[in-house]
Amino acid sequence: MTDKPSRRSRGGGRAGNAARRGQATIEQMPWRLPVNRDKPTEPLDAAGVDAIHQGAMRILEDIGIEFLNEEALALFKQAGCTVSGTNVRMGRDWVMEMLGKAPSQFTLTPRNEAREIIVGGNHILFGNVSSPPNYYDLEIGKKVSGTRAQCADLLRLTQYFNCIHFAGGYPVEPVDIHASVRHLDVVYDKLTLTDKVSHAYSLGRERVEDVMEMVKIAGGLSEEEFQAKPRMYTNINSTSPLKHDVPMIDGCLRCVRRGQAVVVTPFTLAGAMAPVTMSGAVTLSIAEALSAIALFQYVAPGAACVVGTFTSNVDMKSGAPAFGTPEYMRATQMTGQMARFYGLPMRSSGVCAANVPDGQAMWETSNSLWASVQSGTNVVYHAAGWLEGGLIASPEKFVMDCEVLQMIQRYMEPEVVGTGPDDIAIEAIKEVGPNGHFFGIEHTQDRYEKAFYQPFASDWRNFEAWEAAGAEWTAERAHRIFKDIIHNFEAPAMDEAIKEELGAFVARRKAEGGAPTDF
């Protein structure tokens, strides 16, 4: 047998049988907002935290950050910062004053208020893969450009899995839709196929404003209700090193002025766009993020802001980005310490460099996800479905990642480490004694159905039983589960009048030309 899964879809197995019986495709854990009960891993001592803080402040005061957005430059000048051309230098006292206005915790409320999520504190939330231009699944068997149909299927997975808490950007870029109207079609699909918190790309005024209007329509909200609390969010990346571009800052300013949330995530690759040392890369990342968050707090004090990390390293042999590395894990943990120092919620990612849903994909992603847990991350981007450093979205990988996410959620549940009399189980131990077993006793029989995590993608049978059932490899099982979910998917309810209004908005904006493009 080779290490490449075949594209056959074999019968048998719990998921396939359930689908044929017309029941739920898999038995998954219910919707919940996981609470991370572990103390964070903190590789930095107090002196290390101060060193990174002092370094970030020196960058902001002495070197400055380039802001290409003219409105941002005018605002910084108004705030008393030193503006020279596009370079902005800002004093640490002002920066810290602005950061002090940002909430350490806030809620995001989608059209289905039962799916409201809490960002901050000890909560950890997982989102779908966002923005790959390419798609891969076992049926196609090769990397292809993304389509609207594939994007919609990944949105169906986003809605289906309870361990996915928010719908990030396009789970695959649908390049079969013209860029001028792509956001209209995909956000329409997102708002009708899911009822979870949605995202807007900060790629020009029209895209951000259109998405905010569509979220408002989908929720049946007045402008006052929309602005009363965050209903959606945007995520931006700085252009490392030391630069923020025009449209992303513009999009964030538009969002915070209407009460919506922003995530600022510098993409600092050590050895390429950042110093080769991880402390240097984290310091640069912190400076870039704080410069933008300080601006947003100046414009809209109390705006919901998250500091993000995308600090990893490159392969020094090829220059390609690497993810899930020991350095990536440490950088994530270090950024978690800095986020707590500044009192900001934190975003990290579930990422890998692998090209297909194989062992490498899973160990790198697991490293990334556990680094998120260890760092005290609140928002985990790209937690399901990411391949090839973010260039490929895969439904098999999405399903496999959700197995890991459920395991992490189970790991966090307090009953796993209960210490009451029934948990310590002295009477059960006395009953069994040195010569018996625990399978048949009442203590076990009363608890066995919920005692342990039950997988939906893992196969715990021995080799002979697995082989007799068809010798299905993990990615093959994930492909079958994906197909069963899509076949049995039911979109969440939406009032027909609201759906029609949403469709009419899309049609009108398309007739107006959508968003301007360069082609």
mmCIF file with all atom_site columns, all heavy atoms in Angstrom, residues 177-198:
data_model
loop_
_atom_site.group_PDB
_atom_site.id
_atom_site.type_symbol
_atom_site.label_atom_id
_atom_site.label_alt_id
_atom_site.label_comp_id
_atom_site.label_asym_id
_atom_site.label_entity_id
_atom_site.label_seq_id
_atom_site.pdbx_PDB_ins_code
_atom_site.Cartn_x
_atom_site.Cartn_y
_atom_site.Cartn_z
_atom_site.occupancy
_atom_site.B_iso_or_equiv
_atom_site.pdbx_formal_charge
_atom_site.auth_seq_id
_atom_site.auth_comp_id
_atom_site.auth_asym_id
_atom_site.auth_atom_id
_atom_site.pdbx_PDB_model_num
ATOM 1   N N   . ILE A 1 177 ? -15.793 33.828 -10.099 1.00 0.00 ? 177 ILE A N   1
ATOM 2   C CA  . ILE A 1 177 ? -16.623 35.026 -9.970  1.00 0.00 ? 177 ILE A CA  1
ATOM 3   C C   . ILE A 1 177 ? -15.722 36.242 -10.138 1.00 0.00 ? 177 ILE A C   1
ATOM 4   O O   . ILE A 1 177 ? -14.645 36.307 -9.528  1.00 0.00 ? 177 ILE A O   1
ATOM 5   C CB  . ILE A 1 177 ? -17.324 35.092 -8.598  1.00 0.00 ? 177 ILE A CB  1
ATOM 6   C CG1 . ILE A 1 177 ? -18.076 33.796 -8.292  1.00 0.00 ? 177 ILE A CG1 1
ATOM 7   C CG2 . ILE A 1 177 ? -18.275 36.285 -8.542  1.00 0.00 ? 177 ILE A CG2 1
ATOM 8   C CD1 . ILE A 1 177 ? -18.657 33.761 -6.896  1.00 0.00 ? 177 ILE A CD1 1
ATOM 9   N N   . HIS A 1 178 ? -16.133 37.212 -10.933 1.00 0.00 ? 178 HIS A N   1
ATOM 10  C CA  . HIS A 1 178 ? -15.317 38.401 -11.156 1.00 0.00 ? 178 HIS A CA  1
ATOM 11  C C   . HIS A 1 178 ? -15.059 39.106 -9.829  1.00 0.00 ? 178 HIS A C   1
ATOM 12  O O   . HIS A 1 178 ? -15.934 39.204 -8.962  1.00 0.00 ? 178 HIS A O   1
ATOM 13  C CB  . HIS A 1 178 ? -16.006 39.356 -12.129 1.00 0.00 ? 178 HIS A CB  1
ATOM 14  C CG  . HIS A 1 178 ? -15.094 40.432 -12.635 1.00 0.00 ? 178 HIS A CG  1
ATOM 15  N ND1 . HIS A 1 178 ? -14.918 41.626 -11.980 1.00 0.00 ? 178 HIS A ND1 1
ATOM 16  C CD2 . HIS A 1 178 ? -14.279 40.470 -13.729 1.00 0.00 ? 178 HIS A CD2 1
ATOM 17  C CE1 . HIS A 1 178 ? -14.046 42.372 -12.643 1.00 0.00 ? 178 HIS A CE1 1
ATOM 18  N NE2 . HIS A 1 178 ? -13.650 41.690 -13.713 1.00 0.00 ? 178 HIS A NE2 1
ATOM 19  N N   . ALA A 1 179 ? -13.833 39.596 -9.672  1.00 0.00 ? 179 ALA A N   1
ATOM 20  C CA  . ALA A 1 179 ? -13.422 40.197 -8.402  1.00 0.00 ? 179 ALA A CA  1
ATOM 21  C C   . ALA A 1 179 ? -14.298 41.373 -7.984  1.00 0.00 ? 179 ALA A C   1
ATOM 22  O O   . ALA A 1 179 ? -14.430 41.665 -6.791  1.00 0.00 ? 179 ALA A O   1
ATOM 23  C CB  . ALA A 1 179 ? -11.961 40.633 -8.494  1.00 0.00 ? 179 ALA A CB  1
ATOM 24  N N   . SER A 1 180 ? -14.918 42.046 -8.933  1.00 0.00 ? 180 SER A N   1
ATOM 25  C CA  . SER A 1 180 ? -15.737 43.210 -8.595  1.00 0.00 ? 180 SER A CA  1
ATOM 26  C C   . SER A 1 180 ? -16.999 42.848 -7.826  1.00 0.00 ? 180 SER A C   1
ATOM 27  O O   . SER A 1 180 ? -17.533 43.664 -7.069  1.00 0.00 ? 180 SER A O   1
ATOM 28  C CB  . SER A 1 180 ? -16.105 43.976 -9.868  1.00 0.00 ? 180 SER A CB  1
ATOM 29  O OG  . SER A 1 180 ? -16.899 43.160 -10.720 1.00 0.00 ? 180 SER A OG  1
ATOM 30  N N   . VAL A 1 181 ? -17.497 41.644 -8.016  1.00 0.00 ? 181 VAL A N   1
ATOM 31  C CA  . VAL A 1 181 ? -18.750 41.231 -7.365  1.00 0.00 ? 181 VAL A CA  1
ATOM 32  C C   . VAL A 1 181 ? -18.578 39.968 -6.523  1.00 0.00 ? 181 VAL A C   1
ATOM 33  O O   . VAL A 1 181 ? -19.549 39.457 -5.968  1.00 0.00 ? 181 VAL A O   1
ATOM 34  C CB  . VAL A 1 181 ? -19.867 41.013 -8.411  1.00 0.00 ? 181 VAL A CB  1
ATOM 35  C CG1 . VAL A 1 181 ? -20.201 42.323 -9.110  1.00 0.00 ? 181 VAL A CG1 1
ATOM 36  C CG2 . VAL A 1 181 ? -19.487 39.944 -9.424  1.00 0.00 ? 181 VAL A CG2 1
ATOM 37  N N   . ARG A 1 182 ? -17.365 39.473 -6.433  1.00 0.00 ? 182 ARG A N   1
ATOM 38  C CA  . ARG A 1 182 ? -17.114 38.231 -5.695  1.00 0.00 ? 182 ARG A CA  1
ATOM 39  C C   . ARG A 1 182 ? -17.597 38.318 -4.260  1.00 0.00 ? 182 ARG A C   1
ATOM 40  O O   . ARG A 1 182 ? -18.207 37.386 -3.731  1.00 0.00 ? 182 ARG A O   1
ATOM 41  C CB  . ARG A 1 182 ? -15.612 37.923 -5.751  1.00 0.00 ? 182 ARG A CB  1
ATOM 42  C CG  . ARG A 1 182 ? -15.215 36.569 -5.180  1.00 0.00 ? 182 ARG A CG  1
ATOM 43  C CD  . ARG A 1 182 ? -13.723 36.350 -5.374  1.00 0.00 ? 182 ARG A CD  1
ATOM 44  N NE  . ARG A 1 182 ? -13.362 36.367 -6.796  1.00 0.00 ? 182 ARG A NE  1
ATOM 45  C CZ  . ARG A 1 182 ? -12.132 36.548 -7.249  1.00 0.00 ? 182 ARG A CZ  1
ATOM 46  N NH1 . ARG A 1 182 ? -11.137 36.752 -6.403  1.00 0.00 ? 182 ARG A NH1 1
ATOM 47  N NH2 . ARG A 1 182 ? -11.891 36.548 -8.557  1.00 0.00 ? 182 ARG A NH2 1
ATOM 48  N N   . HIS A 1 183 ? -17.324 39.448 -3.611  1.00 0.00 ? 183 HIS A N   1
ATOM 49  C CA  . HIS A 1 183 ? -17.712 39.587 -2.210  1.00 0.00 ? 183 HIS A CA  1
ATOM 50  C C   . HIS A 1 183 ? -19.219 39.515 -2.044  1.00 0.00 ? 183 HIS A C   1
ATOM 51  O O   . HIS A 1 183 ? -19.712 38.990 -1.032  1.00 0.00 ? 183 HIS A O   1
ATOM 52  C CB  . HIS A 1 183 ? -17.171 40.893 -1.629  1.00 0.00 ? 183 HIS A CB  1
ATOM 53  C CG  . HIS A 1 183 ? -17.757 42.128 -2.218  1.00 0.00 ? 183 HIS A CG  1
ATOM 54  N ND1 . HIS A 1 183 ? -17.499 42.536 -3.523  1.00 0.00 ? 183 HIS A ND1 1
ATOM 55  C CD2 . HIS A 1 183 ? -18.604 43.061 -1.697  1.00 0.00 ? 183 HIS A CD2 1
ATOM 56  C CE1 . HIS A 1 183 ? -18.143 43.659 -3.761  1.00 0.00 ? 183 HIS A CE1 1
ATOM 57  N NE2 . HIS A 1 183 ? -18.835 44.004 -2.681  1.00 0.00 ? 183 HIS A NE2 1
ATOM 58  N N   . LEU A 1 184 ? -19.971 40.003 -3.007  1.00 0.00 ? 184 LEU A N   1
ATOM 59  C CA  . LEU A 1 184 ? -21.436 39.993 -2.904  1.00 0.00 ? 184 LEU A CA  1
ATOM 60  C C   . LEU A 1 184 ? -21.980 38.570 -2.935  1.00 0.00 ? 184 LEU A C   1
ATOM 61  O O   . LEU A 1 184 ? -22.819 38.187 -2.104  1.00 0.00 ? 184 LEU A O   1
ATOM 62  C CB  . LEU A 1 184 ? -22.040 40.826 -4.033  1.00 0.00 ? 184 LEU A CB  1
ATOM 63  C CG  . LEU A 1 184 ? -21.686 42.317 -4.024  1.00 0.00 ? 184 LEU A CG  1
ATOM 64  C CD1 . LEU A 1 184 ? -22.067 42.969 -5.335  1.00 0.00 ? 184 LEU A CD1 1
ATOM 65  C CD2 . LEU A 1 184 ? -22.360 43.016 -2.838  1.00 0.00 ? 184 LEU A CD2 1
ATOM 66  N N   . ASP A 1 185 ? -21.494 37.768 -3.875  1.00 0.00 ? 185 ASP A N   1
ATOM 67  C CA  . ASP A 1 185 ? -21.981 36.388 -3.984  1.00 0.00 ? 185 ASP A CA  1
ATOM 68  C C   . ASP A 1 185 ? -21.539 35.534 -2.798  1.00 0.00 ? 185 ASP A C   1
ATOM 69  O O   . ASP A 1 185 ? -22.331 34.757 -2.247  1.00 0.00 ? 185 ASP A O   1
ATOM 70  C CB  . ASP A 1 185 ? -21.482 35.750 -5.289  1.00 0.00 ? 185 ASP A CB  1
ATOM 71  C CG  . ASP A 1 185 ? -22.240 36.249 -6.504  1.00 0.00 ? 185 ASP A CG  1
ATOM 72  O OD1 . ASP A 1 185 ? -23.392 36.691 -6.351  1.00 0.00 ? 185 ASP A OD1 1
ATOM 73  O OD2 . ASP A 1 185 ? -21.682 36.185 -7.624  1.00 0.00 ? 185 ASP A OD2 1
ATOM 74  N N   . VAL A 1 186 ? -20.274 35.679 -2.407  1.00 0.00 ? 186 VAL A N   1
ATOM 75  C CA  . VAL A 1 186 ? -19.785 34.817 -1.327  1.00 0.00 ? 186 VAL A CA  1
ATOM 76  C C   . VAL A 1 186 ? -20.421 35.199 0.005   1.00 0.00 ? 186 VAL A C   1
ATOM 77  O O   . VAL A 1 186 ? -20.795 34.322 0.796   1.00 0.00 ? 186 VAL A O   1
ATOM 78  C CB  . VAL A 1 186 ? -18.252 34.869 -1.234  1.00 0.00 ? 186 VAL A CB  1
ATOM 79  C CG1 . VAL A 1 186 ? -17.773 34.015 -0.056  1.00 0.00 ? 186 VAL A CG1 1
ATOM 80  C CG2 . VAL A 1 186 ? -17.628 34.339 -2.518  1.00 0.00 ? 186 VAL A CG2 1
ATOM 81  N N   . VAL A 1 187 ? -20.563 36.479 0.276   1.00 0.00 ? 187 VAL A N   1
ATOM 82  C CA  . VAL A 1 187 ? -21.189 36.871 1.547   1.00 0.00 ? 187 VAL A CA  1
ATOM 83  C C   . VAL A 1 187 ? -22.667 36.493 1.551   1.00 0.00 ? 187 VAL A C   1
ATOM 84  O O   . VAL A 1 187 ? -23.209 36.088 2.597   1.00 0.00 ? 187 VAL A O   1
ATOM 85  C CB  . VAL A 1 187 ? -20.976 38.373 1.821   1.00 0.00 ? 187 VAL A CB  1
ATOM 86  C CG1 . VAL A 1 187 ? -21.737 38.811 3.065   1.00 0.00 ? 187 VAL A CG1 1
ATOM 87  C CG2 . VAL A 1 187 ? -19.484 38.644 1.993   1.00 0.00 ? 187 VAL A CG2 1
ATOM 88  N N   . TYR A 1 188 ? -23.323 36.563 0.405   1.00 0.00 ? 188 TYR A N   1
ATOM 89  C CA  . TYR A 1 188 ? -24.702 36.064 0.330   1.00 0.00 ? 188 TYR A CA  1
ATOM 90  C C   . TYR A 1 188 ? -24.732 34.579 0.698   1.00 0.00 ? 188 TYR A C   1
ATOM 91  O O   . TYR A 1 188 ? -25.580 34.140 1.502   1.00 0.00 ? 188 TYR A O   1
ATOM 92  C CB  . TYR A 1 188 ? -25.275 36.274 -1.067  1.00 0.00 ? 188 TYR A CB  1
ATOM 93  C CG  . TYR A 1 188 ? -26.671 35.708 -1.240  1.00 0.00 ? 188 TYR A CG  1
ATOM 94  C CD1 . TYR A 1 188 ? -27.792 36.459 -0.883  1.00 0.00 ? 188 TYR A CD1 1
ATOM 95  C CD2 . TYR A 1 188 ? -26.875 34.417 -1.725  1.00 0.00 ? 188 TYR A CD2 1
ATOM 96  C CE1 . TYR A 1 188 ? -29.076 35.944 -1.007  1.00 0.00 ? 188 TYR A CE1 1
ATOM 97  C CE2 . TYR A 1 188 ? -28.151 33.897 -1.860  1.00 0.00 ? 188 TYR A CE2 1
ATOM 98  C CZ  . TYR A 1 188 ? -29.250 34.658 -1.499  1.00 0.00 ? 188 TYR A CZ  1
ATOM 99  O OH  . TYR A 1 188 ? -30.528 34.123 -1.626  1.00 0.00 ? 188 TYR A OH  1
ATOM 100 N N   . ASP A 1 189 ? -23.829 33.799 0.118   1.00 0.00 ? 189 ASP A N   1
ATOM 101 C CA  . ASP A 1 189 ? -23.768 32.364 0.456   1.00 0.00 ? 189 ASP A CA  1
ATOM 102 C C   . ASP A 1 189 ? -23.467 32.173 1.932   1.00 0.00 ? 189 ASP A C   1
ATOM 103 O O   . ASP A 1 189 ? -24.075 31.328 2.602   1.00 0.00 ? 189 ASP A O   1
ATOM 104 C CB  . ASP A 1 189 ? -22.690 31.675 -0.386  1.00 0.00 ? 189 ASP A CB  1
ATOM 105 C CG  . ASP A 1 189 ? -23.065 31.573 -1.856  1.00 0.00 ? 189 ASP A CG  1
ATOM 106 O OD1 . ASP A 1 189 ? -24.253 31.773 -2.189  1.00 0.00 ? 189 ASP A OD1 1
ATOM 107 O OD2 . ASP A 1 189 ? -22.166 31.278 -2.680  1.00 0.00 ? 189 ASP A OD2 1
ATOM 108 N N   . LYS A 1 190 ? -22.538 32.961 2.442   1.00 0.00 ? 190 LYS A N   1
ATOM 109 C CA  . LYS A 1 190 ? -22.144 32.808 3.849   1.00 0.00 ? 190 LYS A CA  1
ATOM 110 C C   . LYS A 1 190 ? -23.305 33.105 4.789   1.00 0.00 ? 190 LYS A C   1
ATOM 111 O O   . LYS A 1 190 ? -23.535 32.384 5.768   1.00 0.00 ? 190 LYS A O   1
ATOM 112 C CB  . LYS A 1 190 ? -20.963 33.737 4.152   1.00 0.00 ? 190 LYS A CB  1
ATOM 113 C CG  . LYS A 1 190 ? -20.424 33.616 5.568   1.00 0.00 ? 190 LYS A CG  1
ATOM 114 C CD  . LYS A 1 190 ? -19.299 34.602 5.821   1.00 0.00 ? 190 LYS A CD  1
ATOM 115 C CE  . LYS A 1 190 ? -18.097 34.327 4.963   1.00 0.00 ? 190 LYS A CE  1
ATOM 116 N NZ  . LYS A 1 190 ? -16.951 35.208 5.310   1.00 0.00 ? 190 LYS A NZ  1
ATOM 117 N N   . LEU A 1 191 ? -24.054 34.154 4.482   1.00 0.00 ? 191 LEU A N   1
ATOM 118 C CA  . LEU A 1 191 ? -25.141 34.557 5.373   1.00 0.00 ? 191 LEU A CA  1
ATOM 119 C C   . LEU A 1 191 ? -26.372 33.669 5.242   1.00 0.00 ? 191 LEU A C   1
ATOM 120 O O   . LEU A 1 191 ? -27.213 33.641 6.151   1.00 0.00 ? 191 LEU A O   1
ATOM 121 C CB  . LEU A 1 191 ? -25.520 36.013 5.098   1.00 0.00 ? 191 LEU A CB  1
ATOM 122 C CG  . LEU A 1 191 ? -24.454 37.047 5.482   1.00 0.00 ? 191 LEU A CG  1
ATOM 123 C CD1 . LEU A 1 191 ? -24.858 38.436 5.006   1.00 0.00 ? 191 LEU A CD1 1
ATOM 124 C CD2 . LEU A 1 191 ? -24.215 37.045 6.989   1.00 0.00 ? 191 LEU A CD2 1
ATOM 125 N N   . THR A 1 192 ? -26.512 32.957 4.132   1.00 0.00 ? 192 THR A N   1
ATOM 126 C CA  . THR A 1 192 ? -27.660 32.059 3.967   1.00 0.00 ? 192 THR A CA  1
ATOM 127 C C   . THR A 1 192 ? -27.312 30.608 4.313   1.00 0.00 ? 192 THR A C   1
ATOM 128 O O   . THR A 1 192 ? -28.193 29.861 4.749   1.00 0.00 ? 192 THR A O   1
ATOM 129 C CB  . THR A 1 192 ? -28.209 32.133 2.533   1.00 0.00 ? 192 THR A CB  1
ATOM 130 O OG1 . THR A 1 192 ? -27.156 31.865 1.596   1.00 0.00 ? 192 THR A OG1 1
ATOM 131 C CG2 . THR A 1 192 ? -28.802 33.505 2.258   1.00 0.00 ? 192 THR A CG2 1
ATOM 132 N N   . LEU A 1 193 ? -26.055 30.213 4.135   1.00 0.00 ? 193 LEU A N   1
ATOM 133 C CA  . LEU A 1 193 ? -25.647 28.834 4.453   1.00 0.00 ? 193 LEU A CA  1
ATOM 134 C C   . LEU A 1 193 ? -25.169 28.685 5.885   1.00 0.00 ? 193 LEU A C   1
ATOM 135 O O   . LEU A 1 193 ? -25.073 27.558 6.396   1.00 0.00 ? 193 LEU A O   1
ATOM 136 C CB  . LEU A 1 193 ? -24.536 28.381 3.500   1.00 0.00 ? 193 LEU A CB  1
ATOM 137 C CG  . LEU A 1 193 ? -24.931 28.190 2.034   1.00 0.00 ? 193 LEU A CG  1
ATOM 138 C CD1 . LEU A 1 193 ? -23.708 27.886 1.192   1.00 0.00 ? 193 LEU A CD1 1
ATOM 139 C CD2 . LEU A 1 193 ? -25.976 27.085 1.886   1.00 0.00 ? 193 LEU A CD2 1
ATOM 140 N N   . THR A 1 194 ? -24.825 29.795 6.552   1.00 0.00 ? 194 THR A N   1
ATOM 141 C CA  . THR A 1 194 ? -24.397 29.743 7.947   1.00 0.00 ? 194 THR A CA  1
ATOM 142 C C   . THR A 1 194 ? -25.169 30.783 8.745   1.00 0.00 ? 194 THR A C   1
ATOM 143 O O   . THR A 1 194 ? -25.713 31.734 8.202   1.00 0.00 ? 194 THR A O   1
ATOM 144 C CB  . THR A 1 194 ? -22.886 30.010 8.106   1.00 0.00 ? 194 THR A CB  1
ATOM 145 O OG1 . THR A 1 194 ? -22.641 31.418 8.083   1.00 0.00 ? 194 THR A OG1 1
ATOM 146 C CG2 . THR A 1 194 ? -22.070 29.322 7.020   1.00 0.00 ? 194 THR A CG2 1
ATOM 147 N N   . ASP A 1 195 ? -25.175 30.587 10.044  1.00 0.00 ? 195 ASP A N   1
ATOM 148 C CA  . ASP A 1 195 ? -25.751 31.602 10.936  1.00 0.00 ? 195 ASP A CA  1
ATOM 149 C C   . ASP A 1 195 ? -24.740 31.987 12.013  1.00 0.00 ? 195 ASP A C   1
ATOM 150 O O   . ASP A 1 195 ? -25.094 32.436 13.092  1.00 0.00 ? 195 ASP A O   1
ATOM 151 C CB  . ASP A 1 195 ? -27.067 31.128 11.554  1.00 0.00 ? 195 ASP A CB  1
ATOM 152 C CG  . ASP A 1 195 ? -26.921 29.858 12.394  1.00 0.00 ? 195 ASP A CG  1
ATOM 153 O OD1 . ASP A 1 195 ? -25.782 29.370 12.568  1.00 0.00 ? 195 ASP A OD1 1
ATOM 154 O OD2 . ASP A 1 195 ? -27.955 29.349 12.878  1.00 0.00 ? 195 ASP A OD2 1
ATOM 155 N N   . LYS A 1 196 ? -23.459 31.816 11.682  1.00 0.00 ? 196 LYS A N   1
ATOM 156 C CA  . LYS A 1 196 ? -22.385 32.128 12.609  1.00 0.00 ? 196 LYS A CA  1
ATOM 157 C C   . LYS A 1 196 ? -21.790 33.498 12.285  1.00 0.00 ? 196 LYS A C   1
ATOM 158 O O   . LYS A 1 196 ? -22.065 34.078 11.232  1.00 0.00 ? 196 LYS A O   1
ATOM 159 C CB  . LYS A 1 196 ? -21.315 31.030 12.546  1.00 0.00 ? 196 LYS A CB  1
ATOM 160 C CG  . LYS A 1 196 ? -21.870 29.657 12.948  1.00 0.00 ? 196 LYS A CG  1
ATOM 161 C CD  . LYS A 1 196 ? -20.826 28.558 12.868  1.00 0.00 ? 196 LYS A CD  1
ATOM 162 C CE  . LYS A 1 196 ? -21.437 27.208 13.264  1.00 0.00 ? 196 LYS A CE  1
ATOM 163 N NZ  . LYS A 1 196 ? -20.454 26.099 13.208  1.00 0.00 ? 196 LYS A NZ  1
ATOM 164 N N   . VAL A 1 197 ? -20.974 34.010 13.200  1.00 0.00 ? 197 VAL A N   1
ATOM 165 C CA  . VAL A 1 197 ? -20.347 35.318 13.031  1.00 0.00 ? 197 VAL A CA  1
ATOM 166 C C   . VAL A 1 197 ? -19.573 35.361 11.717  1.00 0.00 ? 197 VAL A C   1
ATOM 167 O O   . VAL A 1 197 ? -18.843 34.430 11.373  1.00 0.00 ? 197 VAL A O   1
ATOM 168 C CB  . VAL A 1 197 ? -19.408 35.611 14.214  1.00 0.00 ? 197 VAL A CB  1
ATOM 169 C CG1 . VAL A 1 197 ? -18.514 36.810 13.919  1.00 0.00 ? 197 VAL A CG1 1
ATOM 170 C CG2 . VAL A 1 197 ? -20.219 35.860 15.477  1.00 0.00 ? 197 VAL A CG2 1
ATOM 171 N N   . SER A 1 198 ? -19.721 36.477 10.990  1.00 0.00 ? 198 SER A N   1
ATOM 172 C CA  . SER A 1 198 ? -19.109 36.633 9.667   1.00 0.00 ? 198 SER A CA  1
ATOM 173 C C   . SER A 1 198 ? -18.026 37.703 9.665   1.00 0.00 ? 198 SER A C   1
ATOM 174 O O   . SER A 1 198 ? -17.933 38.529 10.567  1.00 0.00 ? 198 SER A O   1
ATOM 175 C CB  . SER A 1 198 ? -20.179 36.989 8.626   1.00 0.00 ? 198 SER A CB  1
ATOM 176 O OG  . SER A 1 198 ? -21.031 35.895 8.380   1.00 0.00 ? 198 SER A OG  1
#
